[in-house]
Amino acid sequence: MLPSLSSGKMGPAAASSIRSLLYRLLLLYSSLLIAPASSQGDESRQANNKHVAIFVFGDSVYDPGNNNYLYIGIEGKANFTPYGESFFKYPTGRFCDGRTVPDFAAIYSNLPLWEPYLQPGSHNFSNGANFASGGAGVLEESNPNTLYSQKQLKYFKEVANLLKQQLGDAVAKKILADAIYLSSFGGVDYMSFINSTSNPTELQQQEYVNMVIGNFTDVIKEIYETGGRKFAFQNVGPLGCQPELKQQYNLSGGACVEVLQAIASLHNSLLSNVTTELQSQLSGFEYVIFDFFNSLNDMINYPTKYGFNVSEIACCGIGSHRGSGCGRVKEYELCSDPNEYVFFDGGHPSEHADSILSDFLWNGGSDYTWPLSMKQLYKLNSTTVIEILSEDKLLFTM
């Protein structure tokens, strides 16, 4: 039984319990206010009238071309043909033949396609920003020449301060609280790990995953402290089944690099546990986890189910699986139709695959996302709840 709200002061535990209950009730109320309209057309118009910024963090699967502006080798860039050929008709720096998951997320959210954060010129940061960098890890040592997670966090904080200077604290707070923080990290760290540690033991694998998740948790908390409340996490994909890795390890058929698959699964399990804990610890923290691992793995194992003809070999590259060298060497091969391939190059999905994966992320379903879909996260009005909970004058005296 809850303490009477008219009983005056109460203990910290009871107050915390009531705050948590009020938050959930207010969150439910705000979701009812923006519940789907009676027709699909009304729902679409309603979504389009809502402005929610997206801040993107991650590695090459999310990079819109930030690496174009870094002093790194050609292997860390995609600013040359045939990248971009299917949609943009020129290379943008995306490791894809067209649009990526963050691009489709932007389309669903009625935002422009991403420009690199590092691209010179003016930016409308009220729409968010994309800090992702090809080859970026959670850990600096995984690839120090890229925008690893702490560098991306630093740039985000600069954007948050700029929004406050330009728009004022109240407006900036609303943008940051209503925004979605979409991220994809971990794959680079684990590929770096197995390249430097031959035959790692289960204990070594667990310790390394703990270190990666621990550092990533610190990043999440700092985004939260800066004002972020709504997080979308893409978990680590089936690294060991990428054409690049199958070629490197001389595997064929359904065989994959099992140590990488095991480490990715460890990461994904711990990520689920950590986000659940963060939600219990941080007031207003909401999240979605997109199961990139199983979604992409199913495409690889059952390509025709999704409209693909080829899943083990990339569209662009050299070698037995076209697993490397896309556009970087004269003798690279290029397929006639990237839409028939799950992978465009050795480590990155094609635009066709990204469009399907983005649909899973946005619309959700128990096989693809939990505990929410990105669409549901998008509709949550975090700002209203946060402002109410931050008021000193609640129904009871703390």
Side-chain angles (χ1 to χ4, degrees), residues 19-222:
R19 275 188 180 277
S20 178
L21 175 60
L22 278 174
Y23 172 73
R24 289 294 164 188
L25 290 173
L26 288 166
L27 194 60
L28 174 62
Y29 176 69
S30 66
S31 67
L32 290 174
L33 290 177
I34 52 175
S38 58
S39 71
Q40 187 173 358
D42 288 342
E43 181 182 10
S44 297
R45 285 192 293 273
Q46 188 180 48
N48 287 339
N49 288 333
K50 185 176 177 67
H51 181 269
V52 174
I54 301 177
F55 292 95
V56 182
F57 305 81
D59 49 31
S60 57
V61 294
Y62 280 9
D63 185 358
N66 280 309
N67 280 17
N68 296 350
Y69 305 96
L70 297 180
Y71 187 69
I72 56 177
I74 190 174
E75 67 280 355
K77 297 185 177 183
N79 57 347
F80 44 83
T81 56
Y83 288 107
E85 66 164 23
S86 295
F87 180 80
F88 299 99
K89 306 306 179 186
Y90 65 92
T92 64
R94 289 166 172 81
F95 291 80
C96 183
D97 59 305
R99 293 161 293 184
T100 60
V101 167
D103 289 314
F104 287 106
I107 292 171
Y108 284 123
S109 304
N110 200 33
L111 297 174
L113 297 183
W114 295 109
E115 295 179 345
Y117 169 76
L118 294 181
Q119 180 174 296
S122 61
H123 296 265
N124 182 4
F125 291 129
S126 65
N127 289 328
N130 189 327
F131 310 102
S133 171
V138 171
L139 308 177
E140 177 181 0
E141 54 265 33
S142 294
N143 199 337
N145 295 321
T146 65
L147 304 184
Y148 51 89
S149 66
Q150 285 294 331
K151 277 190 177 180
Q152 294 184 32
L153 176 64
K154 173 179 176 290
Y155 286 137
F156 163 66
K157 289 183 175 180
E158 290 176 0
V159 168
N161 288 331
L162 187 62
L163 286 172
K164 292 175 183 177
Q165 294 169 16
Q166 293 178 342
L167 305 175
D169 284 350
V171 174
K173 179 181 178 182
K174 176 175 173 57
I175 291 172
L176 294 172
D178 277 339
I180 294 175
Y181 299 83
L182 175 63
S183 62
S184 171
F185 273 119
V188 172
D189 298 288
Y190 301 128
M191 288 191 285
S192 173
F193 173 62
I194 66 159
N195 286 336
S196 61
T197 308
S198 59
N199 300 317
T201 64
E202 289 187 6
L203 178 60
Q204 287 175 313
Q205 294 174 39
Q206 186 67 64
E207 288 176 343
Y208 193 80
V209 171
N210 288 342
M211 180 169 61
V212 170
I213 289 288
N215 279 268
F216 186 47
T217 303
D218 291 339
V219 172
I220 297 168
K221 288 181 177 178
E222 291 203 48

Side-chain angles (χ1 to χ4, degrees), residues 9 25 48 60 79 105 120 135 151 157 160 162 170 173 200 246 275 296 309 344 373 384 387:
K9 294 184 180 294
L25 290 173
N48 287 339
S60 57
N79 57 347
K151 277 190 177 180
K157 289 183 175 180
L162 187 62
K173 179 181 178 182
K246 288 172 71 77
T275 48
L296 183 55
N309 291 328
F344 182 67
S373 67
T384 301
E387 287 176 348

